[in-house]
Amino acid sequence: LLLSRTMSTKYDFYDSGGDYHADANHFNESSSKPLYQHQHSLPNLPVPSLQQTLQRLRPSVLPLAKSKEELDAFKQACQTFPAQAQTLQLDLEKRAADSSPDNNWLQRWWNQLGYLQVRDPTPINVSYF
């Protein structure tokens, strides 16, 4: 409320849905302007395979095990994970195939769940690096 009283711009506020292209349309930006000028030449973000996911997960989680039981439970979970996650993997691959060439399958989730729906102070709780 205070922000909208002190702003002297065309828009008092804008509630983004996490889609950069819709946001650009709202502010009359186009792909010919600097923000999106190379968007068409960028490759889409790939969906990692289940094996790649496990390869990245293991080194991160193993040091966190506080006991041999936790370590063994995690190793067992890694054995059963591919069979359990296959349906979700297929859903992600379908989402990637259905996404437009200008967007990737993770963009809206990342923007909405990672940034826009979090009500914590962004400078403290979100790392862009």
Side-chain angles (χ1 to χ4, degrees), residues 27-125:
F27 292 109
N28 298 320
E29 292 284 333
S30 75
S31 59
S32 64
K33 293 187 178 179
L35 182 61
Y36 293 115
Q37 68 184 349
H38 299 292
Q39 187 72 24
H40 297 290
S41 64
L42 298 173
N44 283 341
L45 184 68
V47 176
S49 69
L50 292 174
Q51 194 59 32
Q52 289 172 320
T53 300
L54 283 174
Q55 286 173 349
R56 289 182 177 211
L57 180 67
R58 282 186 192 111
S60 301
V61 174
L62 287 175
L64 300 175
K66 295 180 181 177
S67 66
K68 183 170 180 354
E69 291 80 23
E70 282 186 10
L71 184 64
D72 292 341
F74 176 71
K75 288 179 179 178
Q76 178 60 34
C78 286
Q79 296 293 325
T80 60
F81 175 75
Q84 294 171 340
Q86 190 59 42
T87 301
L88 296 174
Q89 181 73 15
L90 293 174
D91 288 347
L92 286 177
E93 290 169 359
K94 182 181 182 318
R95 182 181 180 97
D98 292 345
S99 56
S100 75
D102 293 339
N103 292 314
N104 66 60
W105 60 273
L106 186 58
Q107 178 182 328
R108 286 192 87 143
W109 284 340
W110 183 261
N111 291 340
Q112 290 173 345
L113 300 175
Y115 296 106
L116 299 175
Q117 291 178 358
V118 176
R119 303 314 311 161
D120 296 333
T122 302
I124 296 170
N125 294 296

Side-chain angles (χ1 to χ4, degrees), residues 12-28:
D12 287 339
F13 65 91
Y14 177 69
D15 190 10
S16 175
D19 183 344
Y20 293 133
H21 297 288
D23 294 346
N25 291 336
H26 178 79
F27 292 109
N28 298 320

